């Protein structure tokens, strides 16, 4: 949460920072700001609202500077407002800071500073941290870097911070713990950001800063140190990402671009791993750790949000194919209870961003208890990818729309391959079934493409129901988690209240909501549960609820019970969730856009949740 950008070098810093902030707006968008340093001193501009509001606010100002830092905020301490926006400046007016994270013990530090006569202009923990640093700098007559190091030993919480100092007008001092920081290495210039998207245009050589590291960044020098003041050698990585991947490419929104990318992102995910001709799956992360995985006493899946829904689908698939007990946990619950984690346990962590704070801390805890961590992550080089013992990337490319779409189908594809591979090694699947499922999986990109060709049909359904105040999503078996995901997508993007339920559970409560105004979305594809879900449709119809169903092509029963239906190509029931979720993604997109909502940046949400 919160996006940060910094630059030091020969270019004009302001336009570069603004462009970078726009790319990072998915991380938060309730206010933004920049701090610039030039011959006339430190200048800070900030504004409530989107980055475009900031741009308007600075029209006519002198923005000349070759060094600067910028921030786009997702509020934690203090309401979204001009004065709580970052950057914050210190009491002396010489230092400026931007911060992504939370300083948990800020209240105590604030009290100490107030006693010393400090006053504050914002409600933020960040301004407290900055004045604490400046106070140490003054009292110890030390450099900013030393003061920062001393301060960080006192603070608890998470941070990625960038600092600039009027008295050292070419240097950015940065530090990270828990919130991401990437530094791009240019020729006589350096770029700093929360992820690589603001950097990719200028250089492909980057350094991912680790927790408890400080960076002293000048145009032609990058020094990394640990909190013990020892130098650390920067490990330079080459970015494997193209600029086009983070642009809208002619689509109205990133979300719809990402929905339509799914045939190719799923293909990229399977490519090099799934060999339908040879009837094989090749995944080095599984192969190298096969003993650990196939002999697991138990698999625990830890994730949040949409990734948690992918975990629920995986629970059904892994138990079915591998006969290993699986538990799926919300990371935020797991980390604060006293879970039983033993040496023979395998943890599968699922995360698009690889930076979700709750997931990250939950994994650290499980790792301490001796669990083996297998990460399924989209962002290459992210924190979760790095703390996992092994893993598999989803290869969906940058996902920018706040509501996750292509990352979800990528997660399902990887989880499916993981389950198949373990089952094969464990001998819990016949060769025939394995080959059939491998074949089915290889056909998925084509089937997704076929569904997307009929997107207009979903748009028409969305038009009919866009003014509903509630929605119910029902599914059974492998499609129950898809019902949860359909409801979550709609809530996120259209602000319509929606609930996902196992279809049979509907009788134990939600059925009381049904009347002739309630749209009920059934995922009613042809599978083991088909007859049962048809009965559930009858029950809704008898109460005059409006039925929208996702059915298998050729189904002669479900369409007759539905007010609207959408057909998808047939697929094995284990794989079906990768297909059934697509019309639900489209439904939320078309309802959201019909209501005029900025679907890429819905209110109150952020894509990468780096606070608890
Ligand atoms: C946020 C996003 C969701 C995402 C969840 C988990 O809530 O808005 O789309 O599913 O975080 O994020 P992760 O990056 O760990 O998958």
């Amino acid at each position: 949460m919160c996006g940060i950008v910094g630059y030091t070098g020969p270019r004009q810093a302001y336009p570069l920072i603004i462009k970078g902030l726009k790319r990072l707006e998915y991380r938060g968008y309730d206010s933004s700001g920049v701090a610039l340093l030039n011959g006339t001193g430190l200048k800070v501009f900030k504004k409530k609202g989107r980055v475009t509001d900031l741009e308007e606010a600075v029209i006519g100002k002198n923005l000349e500077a070759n060094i600067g830092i910028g921030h786009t905020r997702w509020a934690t301490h203090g309401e979204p407002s001009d004065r709580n926006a970052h950057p914050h400046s210190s009491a002396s007016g010489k230092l400026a800071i931007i911060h992504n994270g939370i300083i948990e013990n800020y209240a105590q530090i604030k009290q100490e500073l107030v006693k010393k006569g400090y006053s504050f202009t914002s409600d933020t923990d960040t301004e407290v941290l900055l004045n604490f640093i400046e106070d140490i700098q003054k009292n110890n007559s030390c450099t900013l870097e030393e003061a920062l190091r001393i301060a960080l030993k006192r603070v608890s919480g998470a941070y990625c911070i960038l600092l600039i100092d009027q008295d050292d007008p070419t240097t950015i001092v940065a530090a990270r713990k828990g919130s991401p920081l990437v530094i791009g290495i240019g020729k006589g210039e350096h770029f700093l950001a929360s992820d690589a998207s603001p950097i990719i245009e200028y250089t492909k050589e980057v350094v991912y800063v680790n927790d408890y590291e400080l960076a002293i960044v000048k145009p032609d020098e990058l020094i990394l140190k640990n909190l013990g003041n020892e130098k650390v050698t920067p490990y330079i990585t080459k970015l494997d990402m193209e600029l086009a991947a983070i642009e809208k490419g002619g689509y109205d929104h990133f979300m719809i671009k990402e929905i339509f990318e799914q045939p190719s992102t799923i293909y990229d995910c399977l490519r090099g791993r799934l060999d339908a001709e040879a009837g094989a799956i090749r995944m080095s992360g599984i192969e190298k750790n096969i003993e650990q995985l196939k002999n697991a006493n138990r698999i625990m899946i830890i994730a949040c949000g949409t990734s948690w829904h992918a975990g629920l689908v995986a629970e059904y698939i892994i138990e079915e194919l591998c006969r290993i007990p699986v538990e799926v946990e919300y990371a935020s619950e797991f980390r604060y209870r006293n879970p039983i984690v033993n040496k023979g346990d395998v943890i599968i962590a699922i995360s698009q961003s690889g930076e979700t704070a709750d997931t990250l801390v939950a994994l650290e805890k499980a790792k301490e208890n001796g669990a083996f961590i297998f990460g399924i992550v989209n962002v290459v080089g992210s924190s979760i990818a790095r703390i996992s013992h092994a893993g598999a990337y989803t290869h969906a490319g940058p996902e920018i729309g706040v509501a996750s779409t292509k990352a979800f189908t990528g997660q399902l594809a990887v989880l499916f391959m993981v389950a198949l591979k373990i089952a094969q090694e464990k001998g819990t699947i016949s060769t025939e079934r394995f080959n059939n499922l491998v074949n089915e999986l290889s056909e998925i990109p084509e089937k997704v493409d076929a569904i997307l060709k009929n997107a207009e049909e979903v748009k028409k359904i969305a038009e009919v129901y866009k003014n509903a105040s509630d929605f119910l999503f029902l599914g059974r078996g492998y499609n129950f988690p898809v019902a949860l995901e359909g409801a979550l997508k709609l809530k996120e993007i259209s602000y319509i209240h929606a609930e996902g339920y196992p279809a049979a559970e509907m009788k134990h409560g939600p059925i009381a909501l049904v009347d002739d105004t309630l749209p009920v979305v059934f995922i009613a594809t042809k599978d083991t549960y088909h007859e049962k879900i048809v009965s559930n449709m009858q029950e809704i119809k008898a109460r005059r609820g409006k039925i929208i169903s996702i059915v298998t092509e050729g189904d002669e029963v479900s369409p007759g019970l539905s007010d609207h239906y959408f057909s998808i190509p047939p697929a094995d029931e284990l794989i079906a969730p990768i297909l059934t979720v697509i019309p639900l993604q489209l439904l939320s997109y078309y309802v959201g856009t019909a209501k005029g909502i900025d679907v890429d940046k819905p209110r109150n949400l952020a894509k990468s949740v780096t606070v608890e």
Side-chain angles (χ1 to χ4, degrees):
M1 264 154 172
C2 300
I4 59 165
V5 184
Y7 175 77
T8 178
R11 299 176 204 247
Q12 280 301 313
Y14 172 78
L16 187 148
I17 290 170
I18 288 290
K19 204 175 198 187
L21 289 180
K22 285 185 179 163
R23 294 209 177 126
L24 291 179
E25 263 192 317
Y26 72 85
R27 302 179 65 87
Y29 34 82
D30 53 47
S31 61
S32 63
V34 291
L36 303 167
L37 263 181
N38 61 23
T40 60
L42 180 67
K43 283 189 188 144
V44 176
F45 304 101
K46 45 196 197 171
K47 193 77 200 147
K48 182 181 169 185
R50 303 281 163 94
V51 178
T52 47
D53 296 307
L54 173 67
E55 280 183 295
E56 270 174 38
V58 300
I59 289 172
K61 311 266 188 215
N62 176 7
L63 303 166
E64 285 279 320
N66 301 113
I67 177 168
I69 54 179
H71 186 268
T72 176
R73 178 169 187 247
W74 187 87
T76 59
H77 293 58
E79 57 164 12
S81 63
D82 290 356
R83 71 186 183 88
N84 285 332
H86 298 214
H88 293 283
S89 7
S90 62
S92 73
K94 285 186 174 182
L95 303 181
I97 190 171
I98 52 175
H99 170 213
N100 167 203
I102 290 182
I103 304 301
E104 285 164 359
N105 56 345
Y106 85 104
Q108 195 190 339
I109 299 172
K110 188 171 183 176
Q111 256 181 14
E112 291 169 19
L113 292 172
V114 169
K115 274 191 202 147
K116 286 184 168 186
Y118 281 85
S119 58
F120 296 88
T121 57
S122 76
D123 308 319
T124 64
D125 49 340
T126 308
E127 192 189 6
V128 174
L129 175 63
L130 179 64
N131 282 312
F132 184 45
I133 295 167
E134 183 161 79
D135 191 59
I136 296 172
Q137 198 185 12
K138 251 184 5 207
N139 292 339
N140 296 19
S141 308
C142 61
T143 62
L144 179 60
E145 174 203 332
E146 278 161 356
L148 174 62
R149 193 177 308 111
I150 297 168
L152 293 183
K153 286 184 183 156
R154 256 297 297 284
V155 305
S156 56
Y159 53 80
C160 169
I161 52 179
L162 303 192
L163 285 161
I164 50 175
D165 180 353
Q166 192 176 293
D167 293 339
D168 185 2
T170 57
T171 308
I172 299 175
V173 180
R176 105 155 236 183
K177 182 198 155 203
S179 304
L181 175 60
V182 190
I183 301 182
I185 321 275
K187 287 197 175 75
E189 58 184 348
H190 283 106
F191 311 83
L192 299 91
S194 303
D195 75 22
S197 60
I199 297 175
I200 183 82
E201 199 169 335
Y202 312 102
T203 176
K204 290 209 162 180
E205 297 206 329
V206 298
V207 172
Y208 291 97
V209 178
N210 290 310
D211 277 350
Y212 304 106
E213 281 179 1
L214 252 70
I216 299 99
V217 192
K218 297 174 187 289
D220 47 12
E221 192 181 26
L222 165 63
I223 300 171
L224 279 190
K225 289 185 177 176
N226 60 24
L227 288 186
N229 199 21
E230 293 156 336
K231 282 200 177 171
V232 179
T233 311
Y235 180 76
I236 299 176
T237 311
K238 223 165 173 72
L239 286 175
D240 181 19
M241 189 204 279
E242 295 305 326
L243 188 58
I246 54 170
E247 291 180 335
K248 279 194 204 145
Y251 285 92
D252 290 341
H253 298 98
F254 280 109
M255 183 179 176
I256 193 72
K257 176 189 175 222
E258 287 158 5
I259 291 173
F260 273 83
E261 275 174 349
Q262 289 176 108
S264 64
T265 53
I266 298 169
Y267 177 78
D268 286 344
C269 176
L270 303 177
R271 189 159 45 113
R273 292 168 168 164
L274 192 81
D275 186 342
E277 270 174 34
I281 290 175
R282 300 185 187 94
M283 297 178 92
S284 63
I286 301 277
E287 281 149 24
K288 284 188 195 142
N289 300 287
I290 193 62
E291 291 305 316
Q292 187 100 32
L293 290 163
K294 77 176 188 194
N295 296 320
N297 297 327
R298 177 177 65 151
I299 292 178
M300 295 176 90
I301 300 181
I302 296 181
C304 302
T306 289
S307 299
W308 185 79
H309 294 156
L312 285 184
V313 177
E315 175 185 15
Y316 283 55
I317 296 172
I318 295 172
E319 290 201 343
E320 166 71 22
L321 296 180
C322 312
R323 309 307 296 153
I324 300 173
V326 179
E327 285 168 31
V328 189
E329 295 259 3
Y330 281 118
S332 54
E333 288 299 313
F334 177 89
R335 62 179 287 197
Y336 284 115
R337 58 188 190 83
N338 192 7
I340 300 167
V341 183
N342 297 316
K343 240 185 166 314
D345 289 338
V346 165
I347 305 273
I348 297 183
I350 311 175
S351 176
Q352 187 287 126
S353 62
E355 301 293 347
T356 302
D358 282 324
T359 310
L360 194 54
V361 181
L363 296 181
E364 281 162 2
K365 190 166 172 181
K367 206 173 174 184
E368 275 165 26
N369 289 349
F372 176 80
I373 317 278
F374 190 88
I376 296 179
V377 173
N378 193 37
V379 177
V380 177
S382 55
S383 302
I384 294 174
R386 284 184 290 149
I387 74 156
S388 299
H389 294 106
Y393 283 117
T394 39
H395 295 310
E399 191 183 64
I400 294 166
V402 162
S404 187
T405 52
K406 63 176 181 171
F408 179 71
T409 47
Q411 289 164 348
L412 293 183
V414 169
L415 285 159
F416 202 78
M417 287 189 283
V418 167
L420 276 173
K421 183 82 186 162
I422 298 176
Q424 187 189 39
E425 295 285 345
K426 212 170 175 242
T428 47
I429 188 169
S430 69
T431 309
E432 193 193 347
R433 177 102 173 104
F434 179 88
N435 289 339
N436 280 342
L437 287 172
V438 163
N439 263 324
E440 287 250 1
L441 199 52
S442 70
E443 289 165 3
I444 285 292
E446 238 172 85
K447 292 182 180 175
V448 172
D449 199 35
I451 292 173
L452 291 170
K453 289 213 163 80
N454 295 328
E456 282 297 312
E457 285 179 36
V458 183
K459 192 173 182 180
K460 285 182 198 147
I461 300 175
E463 274 299 321
V464 177
Y465 295 101
K466 66 181 183 202
N467 295 320
S469 53
D470 301 273
F471 261 77
L472 197 55
F473 287 76
L474 301 174
R476 296 180 83 124
Y478 302 98
N479 278 318
F480 154 54
V482 178
L484 296 181
E485 176 60 8
L488 177 67
K489 270 314 64 106
L490 192 72
K491 269 184 279 211
E492 286 179 305
I493 298 306
S494 71
Y495 312 156
I496 295 176
H497 167 249
E499 284 195 44
Y501 246 79
E505 271 297 303
M506 156 206 70
K507 298 187 291 291
H508 302 289
I511 199 162
L513 301 172
V514 179
D515 62 17
D516 60 2
T517 65
L518 183 77
V520 183
V521 180
F522 275 95
I523 304 147
T525 41
K526 278 277 175 94
D527 55 23
T528 323
Y529 313 88
H530 190 246
E531 280 179 17
K532 302 278 173 206
I533 207 155
V534 165
S535 307
N536 300 136
M537 291 168 86
Q538 297 278 16
E539 289 154 10
I540 295 290
K541 200 172 166 61
R543 287 156 184 86
R544 299 194 299 154
K546 297 278 176 271
I547 296 182
I548 304 162
S549 59
I550 310 300
V551 305
T552 307
E553 277 164 17
D555 180 350
E556 283 166 3
V557 183
S558 319
L561 292 170
S562 310
D563 294 274
H564 299 273
Y565 69 94
F566 182 86
S567 303
I568 65 165
D572 189 283
E573 64 183 18
L574 271 76
I575 299 181
I578 311 186
L579 302 181
T580 51
V581 76
I582 309 279
L584 304 189
Q585 295 170 345
L586 289 167
L587 182 69
S588 66
Y589 175 78
Y590 289 125
V591 173
T593 47
K595 292 182 77 178
I597 291 169
D598 180 355
V599 294
D600 282 341
K601 301 186 194 88
R603 70 184 176 206
N604 303 338
L605 296 175
K607 188 151 188 73
S608 182
V609 182
T610 53
V611 295
E612 308 180 14

